[in-house]
Amino acid sequence: MIYVPERGADNWLVKPLEKKEDIPLSGRALHVRQEIYQPEFNDGDYGMDVCYRFCVGNLVDDYYQIDRRFLGIEYDLFIHHALKFRRSMFVAETNIPIFRGFNDYGFNALYVGGDHPDALPEEVFKEMLRQFPNTYELKKYARARVSSMLRSYIPIKEDHEAQYLKYRQRKKSAKGYQPQKVFACYETDKFALLVEKIEGMLVSADTYSESQWQAEILQVIQFLYPKYVCAFPEAPVMDSLAGKHRKIDFLLVDASGYVDAIEIKKPFSECLVTSNRYRDNHVPMRELSGTIMQLEKYLYHLSRWGQTGEERLNDRYSDQLPNELRIKIVNPSGMIIMGRDAALSPDQRTDFEVIRRKFRHVVEIMTYDDLLHRLKVIRAQFKCKVTL
């Protein structure tokens, strides 16, 4: 490293270098000492200025190992020889020591650039340097903080907070990899198989028993709603009005432990709305209205069961729940999977949508054509990411 003092203070380092103590430079961001001073390389003129030379690192294979005391760091720092060494690599504006801030991260060594398997890529390192706040940004931040405290007492014409936020939005943010692009190919194949699975099941629905049908459809639902980490068949719920237990098709438990309920029916074609009109409307058929009523009562009984129900369900399913997850009953909602709507007339479809929206605050009603459509749309969306 070559250090050039300010003019008029050319000799200020002479006396300190006669001692062995660390000598702070750049507002204490860097430290030199007698041990790494290199007078044999001639500390004479550097152009027209006096300069001092210090050995702040040693070449180890393809990396320079930087002197710990020079940067005030507690780990081994290795910087690839191909990087262009300059002051801004070590000290940010306003004399902020860059590498000293990594002391609290707990690693023993840091490699920057090159082919080392644990190296921080050169592009990422350069982007990190660009993200350090410059003097202009720090001034804007200071003005924003001060104005936010004073505006309640003093009229301030300019909105410094808005100016600072606008500046931050313009400044390029740090970014990592894009998960959708990374996993798009896998997700495309996954949802393509699910589409194929549902289409095959709908063709041969009569060959399935009800329990087998429910179990396989449930697995597809969990791909559409990955928040549900557990599903318990024929889960009990206490009917306090009748004084006996009822059985929910499936009790769903999300990643926070909150429960919902789902009813899965086989795909009969004429079970949604009537083909004839009543007062110029297609009304829900008995199977649909009965299933809605049944599920609403399950949700009602779950809510009434409350804390007692939570304890009973946790005792019953404790060995099937993820570690430290506890079942909670808080305003549960429901889902119904039943019927086909592809063959409905436009008027039937409109009336069916009115019915669905009427109950959607408590129960979501999904047909098998809805389910298939959602899978196809998700597949197409991920497929677009693959081709980008």
Side-chain angles (χ1 to χ4, degrees):
M1 180 193 78
I2 298 175
Y3 171 70
V4 181
E6 294 182 4
R7 290 190 178 181
D10 298 345
N11 299 320
W12 80 269
L13 266 178
V14 174
K15 290 287 185 182
L17 283 173
E18 293 176 356
K19 303 176 183 180
K20 295 184 178 180
E21 288 82 4
D22 287 354
I23 306 166
L25 303 177
S26 297
R28 298 186 176 276
L30 306 174
H31 290 82
V32 295
R33 61 188 184 277
Q34 183 190 82
E35 180 185 354
I36 60 173
Y37 178 44
Q38 302 289 313
E40 64 271 20
F41 287 108
N42 179 23
D43 56 350
D45 290 344
Y46 183 66
M48 296 296 295
D49 300 312
V50 173
C51 68
Y52 298 82
R53 291 174 171 83
F54 299 90
C55 178
V56 297
N58 297 299
L59 188 62
V60 180
D61 296 329
D62 291 331
Y63 289 86
Y64 284 106
Q65 183 175 3
I66 307 301
D67 184 82
R68 285 190 176 198
R69 289 171 61 182
F70 171 64
L71 296 178
I73 57 178
E74 299 170 1
Y75 56 90
D76 293 327
L77 174 63
F78 299 88
I79 300 179
H80 195 262
H81 69 87
L83 271 69
K84 185 178 180 181
F85 284 73
R86 58 193 185 281
R87 181 181 181 277
S88 60
M89 181 185 290
F90 303 98
V91 183
E93 290 198 43
T94 66
N95 291 329
I96 299 174
I98 293 172
F99 289 102
R100 196 179 305 166
F102 298 161
N103 282 341
D104 298 329
Y105 293 176
F107 46 70
N108 296 319
L110 173 64
Y111 289 81
V112 178
D115 299 324
H116 191 277
D118 297 325
L120 182 70
E122 180 180 350
E123 296 76 16
V124 176
F125 176 66
K126 289 180 178 178
E127 180 62 26
M128 182 194 73
L129 295 181
R130 284 193 288 270
Q131 291 300 318
F132 268 85
N134 53 38
T135 305
Y136 179 72
E137 181 177 345
L138 290 174
K139 286 181 179 178
K140 279 194 166 293
Y141 174 73
R143 288 171 182 167
R145 288 294 301 272
V146 171
S147 67
S148 68
M149 292 185 288
L150 297 182
R151 67 170 52 254
S152 300
Y153 308 97
I154 303 172
I156 300 176
K157 293 182 179 180
E158 291 191 56
D159 191 344
H160 292 286
E161 288 183 89
Q163 291 177 7
Y164 174 70
L165 291 174
K166 185 177 180 180
Y167 172 80
R168 287 295 303 163
Q169 289 173 354
R170 289 200 308 268
K171 189 171 182 179
K172 187 178 179 182
S173 300
K175 62 179 182 180
Y177 70 90
Q178 299 182 44
Q180 283 197 345
K181 288 186 177 181
V182 172
F183 297 109
C185 186
Y186 167 77
E187 293 294 323
T188 301
D189 292 341
K190 181 178 78 176
F191 281 95
L193 289 173
L194 292 175
V195 168
E196 185 179 331
K197 169 71 174 174
I198 295 297
E199 288 177 337
M201 289 181 68
L202 292 174
V203 170
S204 56
D206 294 337
T207 64
Y208 285 83
S209 67
E210 186 172 12
S211 60
Q212 183 183 6
W213 179 271
Q214 290 176 333
E216 295 192 21
I217 291 298
L218 179 65
Q219 293 179 52
V220 177
I221 294 299
Q222 287 183 282
F223 279 111
L224 274 179
Y225 299 88
K227 71 173 184 176
Y228 293 119
V229 295
C230 294
F232 301 120
E234 297 188 339
V237 57
M238 183 62 189
D239 182 346
S240 57
L241 301 178
K244 61 180 181 180
H245 284 89
R246 306 287 185 182
K247 291 183 178 179
I248 304 172
D249 270 7
F250 291 94
L251 185 73
L252 303 175
V253 184
D254 70 17
S256 299
Y258 297 104
V259 297
D260 294 316
I262 182 171
E263 290 283 316
I264 301 175
K265 307 295 184 183
K266 292 189 70 176
F268 301 111
S269 56
E270 297 181 1
C271 64
L272 300 176
V273 293
T274 58
S275 55
N276 297 324
R277 296 173 183 267
Y278 174 73
R279 294 190 176 182
D280 205 29
N281 295 302
H282 297 282
V283 297
M285 294 190 72
R286 178 175 294 181
E287 185 169 357
L288 175 59
S289 57
T291 303
I292 294 172
M293 185 63 185
Q294 179 186 39
L295 187 54
E296 283 196 300
K297 288 193 73 174
Y298 287 157
L299 299 177
Y300 169 74
H301 293 317
L302 265 176
S303 295
R304 282 177 61 91
W305 208 10
Q307 189 173 358
T308 302
E310 291 178 358
E311 294 173 359
R312 296 281 180 84
L313 292 172
N314 279 306
D315 290 341
R316 183 184 181 97
Y317 298 115
S318 59
D319 59 336
Q320 301 177 53
L321 291 168
N323 290 337
E324 300 182 1
L325 188 69
R326 300 281 294 174
I327 288 176
K328 308 178 191 72
I329 302 174
V330 180
N331 196 23
S333 61
M335 186 186 304
I336 296 172
I337 313 294
M338 66 181 296
R340 306 288 303 271
D341 65 347
L344 296 180
S345 68
D347 287 342
Q348 284 180 304
R349 193 183 299 275
T350 299
D351 289 347
F352 176 54
E353 188 61 32
V354 171
I355 296 165
R356 289 208 291 193
R357 289 177 177 271
K358 175 185 177 182
F359 293 102
R360 69 179 180 179
H361 66 288
V362 177
V363 175
E364 179 181 2
I365 304 169
M366 185 189 306
T367 69
Y368 286 96
D369 294 301
D370 288 332
L371 175 59
L372 191 58
H373 176 69
R374 292 189 190 190
L375 293 172
K376 288 180 177 179
V377 169
I378 295 173
R379 178 191 61 182
Q381 182 64 17
F382 279 116
K383 193 173 183 178
C384 291
K385 301 292 183 182
V386 174
T387 56
L388 288 178

